[in-house]
């Protein structure tokens, strides 16, 4: 390989590694997102509880959101704590949903492990809680 080709290959490698460093330092901040404080919901005189927070991240004009939550079943009554989460956006006063899921927990001894819904399109999270027959 002649000297000119070696220089060009070395220059290309340097540019790619510099670009890679730029991307590597920019992504962790947006990948983490920003989260609200923890909020608590209780139903049926604290027979069931849910603690959650909403997180958002932005990439250009694209917004993603997720919820993190814990469920509690605090009463031995044959019911379980059921949480519902949905992600989406409010556009023009109307809800446009991109994703939804139900979670249930029925162990009265301790709360559920951390539930992380993962990132989904939108910039709002709906979280509901009810106690249902298990």
């Amino acid at each position: 390989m002649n000297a000119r080709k070696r220089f060009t290959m070395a220059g290309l490698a340097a540019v790619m590694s510099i670009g890679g460093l730029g991307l590597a330092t920019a992504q962790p901040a947006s990948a983490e997102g920003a989260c609200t404080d923890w909020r608590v919901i209780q139903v049926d005189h604290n027979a069931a509880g849910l603690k959650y927070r909403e997180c958002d991240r932005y990439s250009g004009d694209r917004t993603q959101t997720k919820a993190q939550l814990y469920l509690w079943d605090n009463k031995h009554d044959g019911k379980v704590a059921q949480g519902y989460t949905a992600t989406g956006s409010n556009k023009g006063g109307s809800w446009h949903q991109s994703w939804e899921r139900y979670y249930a927990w029925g162990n009265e001894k301790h709360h559920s492990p951390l539930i992380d819904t993962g990132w989904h399109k939108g910039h709002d999270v709906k979280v509901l809680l009810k106690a249902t027959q298990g």
Side-chain angles (χ1 to χ4, degrees):
M1 182 182 290
N2 67 31
R4 185 175 182 171
K5 283 186 182 176
R6 271 184 278 168
F7 177 74
T8 304
M9 295 289 272
L12 180 61
V15 169
M16 288 177 68
S17 70
I18 291 169
L21 289 175
L23 289 174
T25 56
Q27 277 194 352
S30 64
E32 284 295 314
C35 298
T36 64
D37 290 334
W38 289 95
R39 301 171 185 153
V40 176
I41 303 171
Q42 297 174 345
V43 295
D44 298 338
H45 304 288
N46 198 26
L50 184 147
K51 181 178 177 180
Y52 78 98
R53 67 181 182 172
E54 178 182 342
C55 303
D56 295 316
R57 70 179 179 183
Y58 309 94
S59 177
D61 62 348
R62 210 173 103 180
T63 305
Q64 292 183 316
T65 190
K66 72 176 180 175
Q68 294 179 320
L69 56 116
Y70 295 96
L71 288 166
W72 277 268
D73 179 6
N74 296 322
K75 191 173 182 184
H76 188 72
D77 58 1
K79 295 181 179 180
V80 298
Q82 185 180 54
Y84 169 79
T85 59
T87 61
S89 300
N90 282 309
K91 295 179 183 174
S94 179
W95 175 251
H96 298 275
Q97 188 168 304
S98 61
W99 177 87
E100 70 179 351
R101 179 135 185 222
Y102 288 89
Y103 301 93
W105 186 257
N107 185 337
E108 296 103 15
K109 294 179 183 173
H110 55 83
H111 62 74
S112 71
L114 175 67
I115 299 167
D116 188 316
T117 65
W119 295 106
H120 301 281
K121 182 180 178 183
H123 53 293
D124 199 10
V125 173
K126 286 186 177 183
V127 179
L128 304 171
L129 171 67
K130 62 183 178 178
T132 61
Q133 283 304 122

